[in-house]
C-alpha cells in the first residue's frame, strides 16, 4: 500500500515537473524576453521618472530657492522701503514735532515783548497781512507775505521790528483789544517758526482804535483787520 | 438725563412754585402800595415855580429860572415824579402867593399838583445861598426845608441835593441826582477821559494823555477812576484821582492791561492781562499787587464785571468759538456759561441788586443792549432799530442804564430806564461819547 502511495506521489511529482518544464520551455521564452524588455522599459521609465522626479525636485528646489530668494529679496526690499518710509516719516514727524514744539513753545512761553521807549519808522519792505473777522490764525495768502518778510529779516539780521495787531470797528473795543493782541502774537509766532528770533519781535495791540480806512464798509473792514510791521530804530 | 439736570429741573419747579405763591400773596396785599402810586396816575405830580431871587437885585444869570428847571429835570429823570409843565400857570399862582404873602394851597392843588417845591436865592459876593422847601398840598404843610450854600461851580449840585431829598421823602431811597458819569470822548482829537454830572451837565476832561484812553470805571467811593491808556506805548492800566488829576500806574505788564473793573468794596480790581501770552482774567490789589490768575484757557478772556455781593465775576470768553458771557466765582471756581443767545456778546454790567446782567450783543451787523435775568435766564432786549448801542452801565439805584449809541451818527452818551423806556441822549460832543460808567452817589 505504501508502495502504491509512493508511486502516486512520484507520478504526481512527475506530472508537476513535466508540466512545469513544458511551461518553462514553451510560453515563458517569449515572455522572458518581453519580460526583460518590459523590465528595461520599466527601468528606463523608472529611471526617467526618477530622473524627472529628481529634475523636478531640483527644479522645484531651485524654484523654491528662487522664490525664497525672491521672497527674501522682496521682504528685504519691503523692509528697506519700510525702513526708508519709516525714516522719512520719522524725520517728517520729527520735523512736525519740532515745529509743533516750537509753536507750542511759542504759544506757551512766548510772552509779549513791548517797546516802550522805542522809536519806530515805517517798513515798506514788510508787507501787512490780513485776517478774517474775529479770527487770528494766519491765512494761506498771508503765509507768502510772512515768508517774504522773514526772508528780508534774515537778510537784515540787525533789524528789530514791532508788530501792531489791528481790528475792524465791528466788534466791541474791549474784545478787539484782546483780539488785536492775538493777531500780533500769532504773526510773531509764525515769524519765529520761519526762523526769526523772538527777541527781534515786539508786539502791541491797538484793538479797533487805529483803522487804516475809516469807512464803514466790508472793504474797509477787510483792510483794517491787519498786522502791521514797523522797524524799530532805537530801543 | 443725569443727576445734575434732574436737580436743576426740580430746583426750577421749586423756585417757580415759591415765586408763584409769593406773587399771589403780594397781589392780595398790594392795594395799599397801588393806592399810593395810583394817586398821581403812577407818578407824583409836583409844582415847581421859578425860584424867587433876592429883592432889589437883578438876576443877570437867570438863576431863578435855572433852579426850577434843574429841579424839574431831576425829578422827572427820577421816574417817580411828573413836574407840571405849564409855566404861565405856575407863574400866575406863584405871583398870587407873593402878593398874599402866603402859600395858596388850594390854588396849587387845583393845578393837579400833589406837592410843591419852592426856593429862594440869595447872592452875596460870589456865594450863592438857596433856601428850598417842599410842601404837602393836601395837608397844607411844609414837609422839608433845606438851605444850601455854594458858588457857580456847585450851583447845580445844590439843586441835585434837594432833588435827592425830595425823592428820599417819597420813596424811602435817595435818587441818583448826586451821581456822576465818566466816559471817553475824542473832542480834542484824542480819546481822553471825561466826567459829567449824571444828567450830562458839567462836562470836564480829566486826562491829557494825548494818546488813546479807554474803559474808564468809577471807583465805588467815587474818588478815582481806573482807565487804560496807550500814553506809554502799551495798553496800561492807570488810576486817576478825580479831585487833583494825579495819575498812578496800576498794571503795566507787557501786553494788554485792560479792561478792568472794581470789586464792590473798592479794594481789588479784576483785569484782563495778556502778559503770559494770551488775555486772561486776573484780580489784583488797586496798587497792582497780590496778583491772582482766575482763568486758564487758550481763548480770549476779557471784560470782567464784579457782582455786587463780591462773590462772582462775569466776563467774556470766546472759548466756545464766539464771544459769550460766563460767570465764575471771584476765586475762578465754578465756571458756567451765561449767554447762549446771539453770536457775539460782551460788555457785561451787573445790576446793583445782583439779579441781572446787562450786556451788548451783535446781531445782524448791529449792537443792541440786552438784560439777562440771572434767576430765570430770561433775556430782554432793551434797544432795537436805532443804530449800534453798546456799553450798558447801571445807575446805582438800578432804575437807569447809561449807554453809548450811534443812532444819530457818531457814538454819544444816552440814558434809558432799565426796562428800555425813555431813551434819551444826555450828552452831545463833536468828538462823540463812548464807554460810560456810572458812579455811586458823590456828596
Amino acid at each position: 500500500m505504501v508502495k502504491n502511495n509512493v508511486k502516486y506521489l512520484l507520478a504526481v511529482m512527475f506530472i508537476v515537473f513535466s508540466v512545469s518544464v513544458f511551461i518553462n520551455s514553451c510560453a515563458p521564452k517569449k515572455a522572458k524576453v518581453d519580460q526583460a524588455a518590459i523590465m528595461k522599459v520599466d527601468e528606463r521609465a523608472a529611471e526617467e521618472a526618477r530622473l524627472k522626479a529628481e529634475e523636478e525636485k531640483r527644479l522645484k528646489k531651485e524654484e523654491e530657492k528662487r522664490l525664497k530668494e525672491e521672497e527674501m529679496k522682496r521682504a528685504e526690499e519691503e523692509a528697506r522701503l519700510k525702513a526708508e518710509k519709516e525714516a522719512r516719516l520719522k524725520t517728517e514727524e520729527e520735523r512736525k514735532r519740532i515745529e509743533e514744539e516750537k509753536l507750542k513753545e511759542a504759544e506757551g512761553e512766548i510772552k509779549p515783548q513791548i517797546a516802550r521807549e522805542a522809536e519806530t519808522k515805517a517798513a515798506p519792505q514788510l508787507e501787512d497781512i490780513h485776517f478774517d473777522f474775529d479770527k487770528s490764525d494766519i491765512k494761506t495768502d498771508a503765509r507768502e507775505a510772512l515768508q517774504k518778510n522773514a526772508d528780508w529779516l534774515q537778510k537784515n539780521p540787525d533789524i528789530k521790528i514791532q508788530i501792531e495787531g489791528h481790528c475792524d470797528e465791528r466788534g466791541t473795543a474791549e474784545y478787539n483789544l484782546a483780539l488785536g493782541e492775538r493777531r500780533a502774537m500769532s504773526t510773531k509766532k509764525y515769524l519765529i517758526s520761519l526762523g526769526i528770533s523772538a527777541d527781534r519781535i515786539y508786539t502791541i495791540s491797538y484793538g479797533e482804535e487805529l483803522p487804516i480806512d475809516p469807512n464803514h464798509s466790508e472793504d474797509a473792514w477787510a483792510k483794517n483787520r491787519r498786522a502791521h510791521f514797523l522797524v524799530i530804530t532805537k530801543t | 438725563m443725569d443727576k445734575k439736570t434732574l436737580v436743576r429741573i426740580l430746583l426750577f419747579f421749586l423756585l417757580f412754585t415759591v415765586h408763584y405763591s409769593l406773587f399771589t400773596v403780594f397781589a392780595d396785599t398790594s392795594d395799599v402800595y397801588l393806592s399810593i402810586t395810583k394817586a398821581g396816575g403812577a407818578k407824583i405830580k409836583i409844582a415847581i415855580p421859578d425860584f424867587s431871587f433876592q429883592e432889589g437885585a437883578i438876576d443877570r444869570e437867570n438863576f431863578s429860572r435855572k433852579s426850577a428847571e434843574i429841579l424839574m429835570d431831576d425829578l422827572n429823570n427820577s421816574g417817580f415824579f411828573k413836574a407840571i409843565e405849564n409855566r404861565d400857570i405856575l407863574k400866575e399862582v406863584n405871583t398870587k402867593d407873593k402878593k398874599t404873602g402866603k402859600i395858596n394851597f388850594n390854588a396849587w392843588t387845583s393845578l393837579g399838583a400833589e406837592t410843591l417845591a419852592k426856593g429862594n436865592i440869595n447872592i452875596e459876593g460870589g456865594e450863592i445861598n438857596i433856601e428850598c422847601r417842599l410842601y404837602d398840598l393836601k395837608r397844607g404843610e411844609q414837609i422839608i426845608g433845606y438851605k444850601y450854600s455854594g458858588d457857580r461851580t456847585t450851583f447845580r449840585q445844590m439843586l441835585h441835593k434837594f432833588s435827592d431829598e425830595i425823592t428820599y421823602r417819597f420813596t424811602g431811597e435817595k435818587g441818583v441826582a448826586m451821581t456822576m458819569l465818566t466816559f471817553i470822548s475824542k473832542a480834542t482829537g484824542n480819546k481822553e477821559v471825561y466826567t459829567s454830572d449824571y444828567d450830562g451837565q458839567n462836562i470836564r476832561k480829566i486826562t491829557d494823555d494825548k494818546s488813546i484812553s479807554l474803559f474808564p470805571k468809577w471807583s465805588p467811593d467815587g474818588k478815582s477812576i481806573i482807565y487804560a491808556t496807550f500814553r506809554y506805548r502799551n495798553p496800561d492800566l492807570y488810576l486817576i484821582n478825580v479831585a487833583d488829576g494825579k495819575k498812578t500806574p496800576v498794571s503795566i505788564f507787557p501786553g494788554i492791561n485792560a479792561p478792568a473793573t472794581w470789586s464792590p468794596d473798592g479794594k481789588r480790581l479784576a483785569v484782563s492781562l495778556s502778559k503770559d501770552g494770551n488775555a486772561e482774567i486776573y484780580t489784583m490789589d488797586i496798587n497792582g499787587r497780590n496778583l491772582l490768575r482766575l482763568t486758564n484757557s487758550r481763548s480770549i478772556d476779557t471784560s470782567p464785571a464784579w457782582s455786587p455781593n463780591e462773590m462772582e465775576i462775569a466776563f467774556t470768553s470766546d472759548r466756545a468759538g464766539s464771544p459769550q458771557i460766563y460767570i465764575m466765582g471771584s476765586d475762578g471756581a465754578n465756571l458756567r456759561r451765561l449767554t447762549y443767545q446771539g453770536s457775539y456778546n460782551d460788555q457785561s454790567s451787573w445790576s446793583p441788586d445782583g439779579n441781572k446782567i446787562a450786556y451788548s450783543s451783535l446781531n445782524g451787523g448791529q449792537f443792541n443792549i440786552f438784560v439777562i435775568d440771572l434767576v430765570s435766564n430770561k433775556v430782554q432786549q432793551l434797544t432795537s432799530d436805532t443804530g449800534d448801542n453798546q456799553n450798558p452801565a447801571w445807575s446805582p439805584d438800578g432804575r437807569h442804564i447809561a449807554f453809548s449809541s450811534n443812532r444819530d451818527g457818531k457814538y454819544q452818551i444816552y440814558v434809558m430806564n432799565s426796562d428800555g423806556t425813555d431813551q434819551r441822549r444826555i450828552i452831545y460832543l463833536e468828538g462823540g461819547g463812548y464807554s460810560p460808567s456810572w458812579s455811586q452817589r458823590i456828596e
Side-chain angles (χ1 to χ4, degrees), chain B residues 3 7 10 57 73 82 140 143 181 216 295-296 326 331 356 365 398:
Chain B
K3 220 172 175 179
V7 169
L10 280 173
D73 284 347
K82 178 87 188 80
I143 303 170
L181 298 171
T295 59
N296 203 332
Y326 293 74
D331 58 354
K356 290 170 181 175

Side-chain angles (χ1 to χ4, degrees), chain B residues 205-218:
Chain B
K205 181 166 82 74
I206 64 162
T207 59
D208 194 27
D209 289 349
K210 298 183 175 67
S211 173
I212 303 163
S213 302
L214 299 168
F215 319 133
K217 298 269 164 57
W218 279 104

Side-chain angles (χ1 to χ4, degrees), chain A residues 107 116 118 170 172 181 209, chain B residues 191 233 236 274 298 346:
Chain A
E107 271 175 40
R116 269 197 202 283
R170 283 182 298 168
T172 61
E181 174 83 7
E209 305 303 325
Chain B
K191 279 192 172 176
R233 298 190 179 216
D236 298 318
S274 69
R298 290 211 171 178
D346 191 14

Side-chain angles (χ1 to χ4, degrees), chain A residues 19-83:
Chain A
V19 165
S20 72
V21 166
F22 173 77
I23 288 170
N24 278 320
S25 60
C26 302
K29 249 187 190 164
K30 224 182 172 179
K32 205 183 176 179
V33 174
D34 286 345
Q35 210 178 22
I38 289 168
M39 269 185 74
K40 252 191 179 164
V41 169
D42 275 1
E43 257 170 35
R44 205 175 62 227
E47 180 62 15
E48 267 172 20
R50 197 185 53 79
L51 284 174
K52 202 181 171 188
E54 257 175 28
E55 177 66 10
E56 265 173 13
K57 212 175 171 185
R58 195 182 55 81
L59 280 173
K60 203 178 169 190
K61 236 182 186 169
E62 262 175 27
E63 176 67 11
E64 258 172 21
K65 203 180 161 195
R66 195 181 57 79
L67 279 172
K68 211 172 175 186
E69 266 170 15
E70 260 177 26
E71 177 69 25
M72 267 171 78
K73 244 186 190 171
R74 206 174 59 232
E76 259 170 36
E77 177 68 10
E78 254 172 29
R80 196 181 56 79
L81 282 174
K82 201 176 164 196

Side-chain angles (χ1 to χ4, degrees), chain B residues 172-361:
Chain B
E173 55 181 306
K174 289 203 173 180
V176 292
M178 288 298 288
T179 59
M180 291 180 82
L181 298 171
T182 180
F183 58 94
I184 296 293
S185 179
K186 232 174 167 175
T188 59
N190 296 308
K191 279 192 172 176
E192 303 277 6
V193 180
Y194 289 73
T195 61
S196 78
D197 291 352
Y198 89 105
D199 56 3
Q201 299 293 318
N202 274 331
I203 295 169
R204 284 202 302 145
K205 181 166 82 74
I206 64 162
T207 59
D208 194 27
D209 289 349
K210 298 183 175 67
S211 173
I212 303 163
S213 302
L214 299 168
F215 319 133
K217 298 269 164 57
W218 279 104
S219 66
D221 66 5
K223 287 180 180 155
S224 46
I225 291 169
I226 42 156
Y227 75 107
T229 179
F230 280 76
R231 166 87 186 260
Y232 308 100
R233 298 190 179 216
N234 188 61
D236 298 318
L237 190 67
Y238 272 72
L239 184 75
I240 186 159
N241 183 311
V242 178
D244 61 15
K246 203 179 147 236
K247 278 168 55 180
T248 322
V250 174
S251 180
I252 54 168
F253 292 109
I256 66 168
N257 293 270
T261 187
W262 293 86
S263 69
D265 66 3
K267 288 179 181 160
R268 301 267 295 169
L269 297 166
V271 195
S272 179
L273 303 179
S274 69
K275 69 184 187 70
D276 294 328
N278 173 41
E280 305 278 0
I281 307 290
Y282 296 75
T283 58
M284 59 174 72
D285 292 344
I286 54 168
N287 57 13
R289 298 208 182 109
N290 294 319
L291 203 63
L292 187 68
R293 182 167 166 174
L294 302 190
T295 59
N296 203 332
S297 79
R298 290 211 171 178
S299 56
I300 288 172
D301 296 311
T302 186
S303 300
W306 219 306
S307 75
N309 67 3
E310 315 232 355
M311 304 288 284
E312 291 176 306
I313 292 172
F315 67 103
T316 302
S317 175
D318 71 340
R319 60 188 64 199
S322 69
Q324 296 291 343
I325 296 166
Y326 293 74
I327 294 179
M328 61 183 165
S330 46
D331 58 354
N334 299 322
L335 179 80
R336 68 185 166 105
R337 180 171 165 179
L338 178 67
T339 55
Y340 286 91
Q341 199 175 309
S343 59
Y344 195 118
N345 300 318
D346 191 14
Q347 302 174 336
S348 314
S349 173
W350 222 300
S351 69
D353 65 7
N355 293 334
K356 290 170 181 175
I357 285 178
Y359 61 96
S360 61
S361 181

